[in-house]
Amino acid sequence: METKKVWYVTGASKGLGLALIKKLIHDGYRVAATSRNVSDLDKEIGSNVNFLSLGVDIANETSVRASIEKTLQKFGTIDVVVNNAGYGQLGTLEETSDEEAHENFNVNVFGTLNVIRAVMSHFRQKKSGRIINISSIAGFLGGFPGWGIYNATKFAVAGLTEALAVEAKSHGVTATIVYPGYFKTNFLKQGSLRLAKNRIADYKEARDLEVIHDTQIIGNQPGDPEKAAAAFVTLGESKNPPLHLFLGTDSFNMANGKIETLQQELRTNEALSKSTDFVAQTVA
């Protein structure tokens, strides 16, 4: 009987990460899960021979490497990595301080890089592995006023994953970017979102979107976290995983809308786009 894969999941104490590790444990997988506070994980999962809870500072490379080593010591291998840890930084670009922007990148982007660097030597040695990096529809479609820094972190996750996919392919390692839409989790609540300290009332579009999130979207998100967890398991077992996966009907439709807009702009501006090429001179 084939042994179930070992999964390593970051940011697993709430939201999609928690839904995923609960599904994995229920299905008999071996799971290492990280959180800033290990007691949060233990409270949610309890004691289980197939579960390893890890208190990790995702932005600290030493802390991340230690968690990978502990996972290998307990389970002997790692098969699937899910980089899910992250948070939303709200505030227009003018409002957001340098410190606030750097911290969001440290967690959302450099935390993901820390995990990739720590696990790739193991994946290269065994010539197999799967990395699933959680971006957001905001990492493909950036037109959300007041979300610019968060958008930028998630675009960065998408960009580095595209590079990873071709860098690691010859080593038997696959990489997938997942772009979730709105799921009924606590992401839009305090603890997963941080507001810029220096607020500027003039930014009406950003303030209006904040009100929409608070009054219309929270509690009415269309995505089911348990179904998302099942989709992740399917992705982890797929023989030919996609590079890009838009998760949720809202994400899928928003992505299609941007693609249609891009295609229209390409057609409209084709002559201007190509006007910058060198033209070979004809010799009489």
Side-chain angles (χ1 to χ4, degrees), residues 11-61:
S13 62
K14 55 187 176 182
L16 293 182
L18 179 59
L20 173 58
I21 64 172
K22 285 183 174 180
K23 169 68 173 173
L24 290 169
I25 292 169
H26 177 270
D27 290 355
Y29 290 92
R30 293 169 290 168
V31 181
T34 83
S35 174
R36 287 172 295 178
N37 191 338
V38 71
S39 65
D40 292 341
L41 287 169
D42 292 335
K43 187 185 301 182
E44 290 287 351
I45 304 300
S47 178
N48 188 303
V49 68
N50 288 329
F51 179 66
L52 175 64
S53 58
L54 298 159
V56 176
D57 176 1
I58 202 71
N60 184 299
E61 188 170 15

Short mmCIF file of all heavy atoms in Angstrom, two decimals, residues 11-61:
data_model
loop_
_atom_site.label_atom_id
_atom_site.label_comp_id
_atom_site.label_asym_id
_atom_site.label_seq_id
_atom_site.Cartn_x
_atom_site.Cartn_y
_atom_site.Cartn_z
N GLY A 11 1.37 29.08 7.61
CA GLY A 11 0.17 29.88 7.90
C GLY A 11 -1.05 29.02 8.07
O GLY A 11 -2.11 29.30 7.49
N ALA A 12 -0.94 27.98 8.92
CA ALA A 12 -1.96 26.93 8.96
C ALA A 12 -2.91 27.01 10.14
O ALA A 12 -3.74 26.13 10.32
CB ALA A 12 -1.28 25.56 8.96
N SER A 13 -2.83 28.06 10.94
CA SER A 13 -3.66 28.10 12.15
C SER A 13 -5.03 28.71 11.91
O SER A 13 -5.88 28.74 12.81
CB SER A 13 -2.94 28.86 13.26
OG SER A 13 -2.70 30.19 12.87
N LYS A 14 -5.28 29.22 10.69
CA LYS A 14 -6.59 29.79 10.39
C LYS A 14 -6.79 29.83 8.87
O LYS A 14 -5.86 29.56 8.10
CB LYS A 14 -6.73 31.19 10.98
CG LYS A 14 -5.64 32.16 10.55
CD LYS A 14 -5.76 33.47 11.32
CE LYS A 14 -4.62 34.42 10.98
NZ LYS A 14 -4.71 35.67 11.76
N GLY A 15 -7.99 30.18 8.46
CA GLY A 15 -8.28 30.38 7.05
C GLY A 15 -8.12 29.15 6.19
O GLY A 15 -8.38 28.02 6.63
N LEU A 16 -7.69 29.37 4.96
CA LEU A 16 -7.54 28.26 4.02
C LEU A 16 -6.49 27.27 4.50
O LEU A 16 -6.61 26.07 4.26
CB LEU A 16 -7.15 28.79 2.64
CG LEU A 16 -8.20 29.61 1.89
CD1 LEU A 16 -7.68 30.02 0.52
CD2 LEU A 16 -9.52 28.83 1.74
N GLY A 17 -5.45 27.76 5.17
CA GLY A 17 -4.41 26.87 5.68
C GLY A 17 -4.95 25.87 6.68
O GLY A 17 -4.63 24.67 6.64
N LEU A 18 -5.79 26.35 7.60
CA LEU A 18 -6.38 25.46 8.60
C LEU A 18 -7.34 24.47 7.96
O LEU A 18 -7.34 23.28 8.30
CB LEU A 18 -7.11 26.29 9.67
CG LEU A 18 -7.79 25.51 10.78
CD1 LEU A 18 -6.80 24.64 11.53
CD2 LEU A 18 -8.50 26.47 11.75
N ALA A 19 -8.16 24.94 7.03
CA ALA A 19 -9.08 24.03 6.34
C ALA A 19 -8.30 22.94 5.61
O ALA A 19 -8.71 21.76 5.61
CB ALA A 19 -9.94 24.82 5.34
N LEU A 20 -7.15 23.31 5.03
CA LEU A 20 -6.35 22.34 4.30
C LEU A 20 -5.77 21.28 5.23
O LEU A 20 -5.86 20.08 4.94
CB LEU A 20 -5.23 23.04 3.53
CG LEU A 20 -4.21 22.13 2.86
CD1 LEU A 20 -4.88 21.18 1.87
CD2 LEU A 20 -3.13 22.96 2.17
N ILE A 21 -5.14 21.70 6.33
CA ILE A 21 -4.49 20.68 7.17
C ILE A 21 -5.52 19.77 7.83
O ILE A 21 -5.26 18.57 8.03
CB ILE A 21 -3.54 21.30 8.21
CG1 ILE A 21 -4.28 22.17 9.22
CG2 ILE A 21 -2.43 22.09 7.53
CD1 ILE A 21 -3.41 22.63 10.39
N LYS A 22 -6.70 20.28 8.13
CA LYS A 22 -7.76 19.42 8.67
C LYS A 22 -8.18 18.36 7.65
O LYS A 22 -8.38 17.19 7.98
CB LYS A 22 -8.97 20.25 9.10
CG LYS A 22 -8.76 21.03 10.39
CD LYS A 22 -10.02 21.79 10.79
CE LYS A 22 -9.86 22.45 12.15
NZ LYS A 22 -11.08 23.19 12.56
N LYS A 23 -8.30 18.78 6.40
CA LYS A 23 -8.65 17.85 5.32
C LYS A 23 -7.55 16.80 5.13
O LYS A 23 -7.83 15.60 5.00
CB LYS A 23 -8.86 18.64 4.03
CG LYS A 23 -8.99 17.82 2.75
CD LYS A 23 -10.24 16.99 2.71
CE LYS A 23 -10.40 16.33 1.34
NZ LYS A 23 -11.54 15.36 1.31
N LEU A 24 -6.31 17.26 5.13
CA LEU A 24 -5.18 16.34 4.93
C LEU A 24 -5.12 15.28 6.04
O LEU A 24 -4.94 14.08 5.77
CB LEU A 24 -3.87 17.12 4.88
CG LEU A 24 -3.65 17.99 3.65
CD1 LEU A 24 -2.45 18.90 3.86
CD2 LEU A 24 -3.45 17.13 2.39
N ILE A 25 -5.25 15.72 7.29
CA ILE A 25 -5.19 14.78 8.41
C ILE A 25 -6.36 13.80 8.35
O ILE A 25 -6.19 12.59 8.57
CB ILE A 25 -5.16 15.55 9.74
CG1 ILE A 25 -3.84 16.31 9.86
CG2 ILE A 25 -5.34 14.60 10.93
CD1 ILE A 25 -3.80 17.31 10.98
N HIS A 26 -7.53 14.32 8.00
CA HIS A 26 -8.71 13.45 7.87
C HIS A 26 -8.49 12.39 6.81
O HIS A 26 -8.93 11.23 6.95
CB HIS A 26 -9.94 14.29 7.51
CG HIS A 26 -11.18 13.49 7.27
ND1 HIS A 26 -11.53 13.01 6.02
CD2 HIS A 26 -12.16 13.05 8.14
CE1 HIS A 26 -12.65 12.33 6.11
NE2 HIS A 26 -13.05 12.33 7.38
N ASP A 27 -7.78 12.76 5.74
CA ASP A 27 -7.55 11.83 4.63
C ASP A 27 -6.32 10.94 4.83
O ASP A 27 -5.97 10.15 3.94
CB ASP A 27 -7.40 12.60 3.32
CG ASP A 27 -8.71 13.22 2.85
OD1 ASP A 27 -9.75 12.97 3.49
OD2 ASP A 27 -8.70 13.96 1.85
N GLY A 28 -5.66 11.07 5.97
CA GLY A 28 -4.55 10.17 6.28
C GLY A 28 -3.18 10.62 5.83
O GLY A 28 -2.22 9.84 5.87
N TYR A 29 -3.04 11.86 5.40
CA TYR A 29 -1.73 12.38 5.02
C TYR A 29 -0.93 12.72 6.27
O TYR A 29 -1.49 12.93 7.36
CB TYR A 29 -1.87 13.64 4.15
CG TYR A 29 -2.42 13.38 2.78
CD1 TYR A 29 -3.79 13.44 2.52
CD2 TYR A 29 -1.56 13.08 1.72
CE1 TYR A 29 -4.30 13.21 1.26
CE2 TYR A 29 -2.06 12.85 0.44
CZ TYR A 29 -3.43 12.91 0.22
OH TYR A 29 -3.92 12.68 -1.04
N ARG A 30 0.37 12.79 6.11
CA ARG A 30 1.25 13.27 7.17
C ARG A 30 1.48 14.76 6.94
O ARG A 30 1.77 15.16 5.81
CB ARG A 30 2.56 12.49 7.16
CG ARG A 30 2.39 11.01 7.54
CD ARG A 30 3.62 10.20 7.28
NE ARG A 30 3.86 10.04 5.85
CZ ARG A 30 5.00 9.58 5.32
NH1 ARG A 30 6.01 9.27 6.11
NH2 ARG A 30 5.12 9.46 4.02
N VAL A 31 1.38 15.54 8.00
CA VAL A 31 1.32 16.99 7.84
C VAL A 31 2.22 17.70 8.85
O VAL A 31 2.14 17.44 10.06
CB VAL A 31 -0.12 17.52 8.03
CG1 VAL A 31 -0.17 19.03 7.85
CG2 VAL A 31 -1.07 16.83 7.06
N ALA A 32 3.08 18.58 8.34
CA ALA A 32 3.80 19.53 9.18
C ALA A 32 3.19 20.90 8.90
O ALA A 32 3.04 21.29 7.74
CB ALA A 32 5.28 19.54 8.84
N ALA A 33 2.81 21.61 9.95
CA ALA A 33 2.11 22.87 9.78
C ALA A 33 2.77 23.94 10.63
O ALA A 33 3.15 23.69 11.78
CB ALA A 33 0.64 22.72 10.17
N THR A 34 2.87 25.15 10.07
CA THR A 34 3.52 26.23 10.80
C THR A 34 2.53 27.32 11.18
O THR A 34 1.52 27.54 10.51
CB THR A 34 4.65 26.87 9.98
OG1 THR A 34 4.12 27.84 9.06
CG2 THR A 34 5.46 25.83 9.22
N SER A 35 2.86 28.00 12.26
CA SER A 35 2.12 29.17 12.70
C SER A 35 3.08 30.01 13.54
O SER A 35 4.09 29.52 14.03
CB SER A 35 0.91 28.77 13.54
OG SER A 35 0.27 29.92 14.08
N ARG A 36 2.75 31.29 13.70
CA ARG A 36 3.55 32.12 14.59
C ARG A 36 3.43 31.62 16.03
O ARG A 36 4.35 31.76 16.82
CB ARG A 36 3.09 33.59 14.50
CG ARG A 36 3.51 34.28 13.22
CD ARG A 36 2.86 35.65 13.10
NE ARG A 36 1.41 35.56 12.98
CZ ARG A 36 0.59 36.61 12.90
NH1 ARG A 36 1.09 37.83 12.95
NH2 ARG A 36 -0.71 36.44 12.78
N ASN A 37 2.29 31.06 16.35
CA ASN A 37 2.03 30.57 17.70
C ASN A 37 1.63 29.10 17.63
O ASN A 37 0.54 28.76 17.16
CB ASN A 37 0.93 31.40 18.36
CG ASN A 37 0.80 31.10 19.84
OD1 ASN A 37 1.21 30.05 20.32
ND2 ASN A 37 0.22 32.04 20.58
N VAL A 38 2.52 28.21 18.08
CA VAL A 38 2.28 26.78 17.95
C VAL A 38 1.06 26.34 18.76
O VAL A 38 0.38 25.35 18.40
CB VAL A 38 3.53 25.98 18.37
CG1 VAL A 38 3.76 26.05 19.87
CG2 VAL A 38 3.46 24.56 17.89
N SER A 39 0.73 27.05 19.84
CA SER A 39 -0.43 26.67 20.64
C SER A 39 -1.73 26.79 19.86
O SER A 39 -2.70 26.07 20.11
CB SER A 39 -0.50 27.51 21.92
OG SER A 39 -0.71 28.87 21.61
N ASP A 40 -1.76 27.73 18.88
CA ASP A 40 -2.95 27.87 18.04
C ASP A 40 -3.20 26.60 17.24
O ASP A 40 -4.34 26.15 17.08
CB ASP A 40 -2.79 29.06 17.10
CG ASP A 40 -2.79 30.40 17.83
OD1 ASP A 40 -3.25 30.43 18.98
OD2 ASP A 40 -2.33 31.38 17.24
N LEU A 41 -2.13 26.03 16.72
CA LEU A 41 -2.25 24.80 15.94
C LEU A 41 -2.66 23.63 16.83
O LEU A 41 -3.53 22.83 16.47
CB LEU A 41 -0.91 24.49 15.26
CG LEU A 41 -0.53 25.35 14.07
CD1 LEU A 41 0.93 25.10 13.68
CD2 LEU A 41 -1.44 25.08 12.88
N ASP A 42 -2.00 23.51 17.98
CA ASP A 42 -2.31 22.40 18.88
C ASP A 42 -3.76 22.46 19.35
O ASP A 42 -4.42 21.44 19.52
CB ASP A 42 -1.36 22.42 20.08
CG ASP A 42 0.08 22.12 19.68
OD1 ASP A 42 0.26 21.45 18.64
OD2 ASP A 42 1.01 22.55 20.39
N LYS A 43 -4.25 23.67 19.55
CA LYS A 43 -5.64 23.85 19.98
C LYS A 43 -6.61 23.37 18.90
O LYS A 43 -7.65 22.79 19.18
CB LYS A 43 -5.89 25.31 20.30
CG LYS A 43 -7.25 25.61 20.93
CD LYS A 43 -7.44 27.10 21.11
CE LYS A 43 -6.37 27.71 21.98
NZ LYS A 43 -6.58 29.17 22.19
N GLU A 44 -6.26 23.63 17.63
CA GLU A 44 -7.14 23.28 16.52
C GLU A 44 -7.09 21.79 16.18
O GLU A 44 -8.11 21.18 15.83
CB GLU A 44 -6.78 24.10 15.28
CG GLU A 44 -7.11 25.59 15.38
CD GLU A 44 -8.60 25.87 15.28
OE1 GLU A 44 -9.38 24.93 14.97
OE2 GLU A 44 -9.00 27.02 15.54
N ILE A 45 -5.90 21.20 16.25
CA ILE A 45 -5.70 19.83 15.76
C ILE A 45 -5.58 18.81 16.88
O ILE A 45 -6.09 17.69 16.78
CB ILE A 45 -4.45 19.75 14.85
CG1 ILE A 45 -4.57 20.75 13.69
CG2 ILE A 45 -4.26 18.33 14.32
CD1 ILE A 45 -5.77 20.56 12.79
N GLY A 46 -4.90 19.18 17.97
CA GLY A 46 -4.67 18.23 19.04
C GLY A 46 -3.53 17.29 18.72
O GLY A 46 -2.74 17.51 17.79
N SER A 47 -3.43 16.21 19.46
CA SER A 47 -2.33 15.25 19.29
C SER A 47 -2.68 14.23 18.20
O SER A 47 -3.77 13.66 18.20
CB SER A 47 -2.06 14.53 20.61
OG SER A 47 -1.03 13.59 20.45
N ASN A 48 -1.75 14.03 17.28
CA ASN A 48 -1.96 13.07 16.19
C ASN A 48 -0.59 12.64 15.69
O ASN A 48 0.29 13.48 15.43
CB ASN A 48 -2.76 13.73 15.06
CG ASN A 48 -3.18 12.74 13.99
OD1 ASN A 48 -2.35 12.07 13.39
ND2 ASN A 48 -4.48 12.64 13.75
N VAL A 49 -0.39 11.35 15.55
CA VAL A 49 0.90 10.82 15.16
C VAL A 49 1.33 11.30 13.77
O VAL A 49 2.52 11.36 13.45
CB VAL A 49 0.89 9.27 15.20
CG1 VAL A 49 -0.03 8.71 14.11
CG2 VAL A 49 2.30 8.71 15.08
N ASN A 50 0.36 11.67 12.94
CA ASN A 50 0.65 12.13 11.58
C ASN A 50 0.76 13.66 11.48
O ASN A 50 0.82 14.20 10.38
CB ASN A 50 -0.43 11.65 10.61
CG ASN A 50 -0.33 10.17 10.34
OD1 ASN A 50 0.75 9.59 10.37
ND2 ASN A 50 -1.47 9.54 10.11
N PHE A 51 0.80 14.33 12.63
CA PHE A 51 0.79 15.80 12.62
C PHE A 51 1.95 16.35 13.43
O PHE A 51 2.22 15.91 14.54
CB PHE A 51 -0.53 16.31 13.20
CG PHE A 51 -0.63 17.82 13.25
CD1 PHE A 51 -0.66 18.56 12.08
CD2 PHE A 51 -0.67 18.48 14.47
CE1 PHE A 51 -0.75 19.95 12.13
CE2 PHE A 51 -0.75 19.86 14.53
CZ PHE A 51 -0.79 20.60 13.35
N LEU A 52 2.62 17.36 12.85
CA LEU A 52 3.71 18.06 13.52
C LEU A 52 3.40 19.55 13.49
O LEU A 52 3.31 20.15 12.42
CB LEU A 52 5.04 17.79 12.82
CG LEU A 52 6.27 18.56 13.34
CD1 LEU A 52 6.58 18.17 14.79
CD2 LEU A 52 7.48 18.32 12.43
N SER A 53 3.22 20.14 14.66
CA SER A 53 2.98 21.58 14.74
C SER A 53 4.31 22.29 14.98
O SER A 53 5.13 21.85 15.79
CB SER A 53 1.98 21.90 15.86
OG SER A 53 2.46 21.44 17.11
N LEU A 54 4.48 23.40 14.27
CA LEU A 54 5.76 24.10 14.29
C LEU A 54 5.54 25.60 14.49
O LEU A 54 4.85 26.23 13.69
CB LEU A 54 6.51 23.88 12.96
CG LEU A 54 6.89 22.43 12.64
CD1 LEU A 54 7.14 22.28 11.13
CD2 LEU A 54 8.13 22.02 13.43
N GLY A 55 6.11 26.13 15.54
CA GLY A 55 6.10 27.58 15.73
C GLY A 55 7.20 28.20 14.90
O GLY A 55 8.39 27.92 15.13
N VAL A 56 6.84 29.01 13.92
CA VAL A 56 7.82 29.53 12.96
C VAL A 56 7.60 31.02 12.72
O VAL A 56 6.47 31.47 12.54
CB VAL A 56 7.71 28.77 11.61
CG1 VAL A 56 8.65 29.37 10.57
CG2 VAL A 56 8.02 27.29 11.80
N ASP A 57 8.71 31.75 12.70
CA ASP A 57 8.71 33.12 12.21
C ASP A 57 9.06 33.04 10.73
O ASP A 57 10.23 32.84 10.37
CB ASP A 57 9.73 33.97 12.97
CG ASP A 57 9.84 35.39 12.43
OD1 ASP A 57 9.12 35.74 11.47
OD2 ASP A 57 10.66 36.16 12.97
N ILE A 58 8.06 33.14 9.88
CA ILE A 58 8.25 32.88 8.46
C ILE A 58 9.24 33.84 7.82
O ILE A 58 9.88 33.51 6.80
CB ILE A 58 6.88 32.92 7.72
CG1 ILE A 58 6.94 32.14 6.40
CG2 ILE A 58 6.41 34.34 7.50
CD1 ILE A 58 7.04 30.67 6.57
N ALA A 59 9.41 35.02 8.39
CA ALA A 59 10.33 36.01 7.83
C ALA A 59 11.76 35.79 8.29
O ALA A 59 12.67 36.51 7.85
CB ALA A 59 9.87 37.42 8.19
N ASN A 60 11.98 34.82 9.16
CA ASN A 60 13.31 34.52 9.69
C ASN A 60 13.83 33.24 9.05
O ASN A 60 13.28 32.16 9.28
CB ASN A 60 13.24 34.37 11.22
CG ASN A 60 14.60 34.14 11.85
OD1 ASN A 60 15.27 33.16 11.57
ND2 ASN A 60 15.00 35.06 12.72
N GLU A 61 14.88 33.36 8.25
CA GLU A 61 15.37 32.20 7.50
C GLU A 61 15.83 31.08 8.41
O GLU A 61 15.61 29.89 8.11
CB GLU A 61 16.52 32.63 6.58
CG GLU A 61 16.95 31.54 5.62
CD GLU A 61 17.90 32.03 4.55
OE1 GLU A 61 18.45 33.14 4.71
OE2 GLU A 61 18.11 31.30 3.56
#
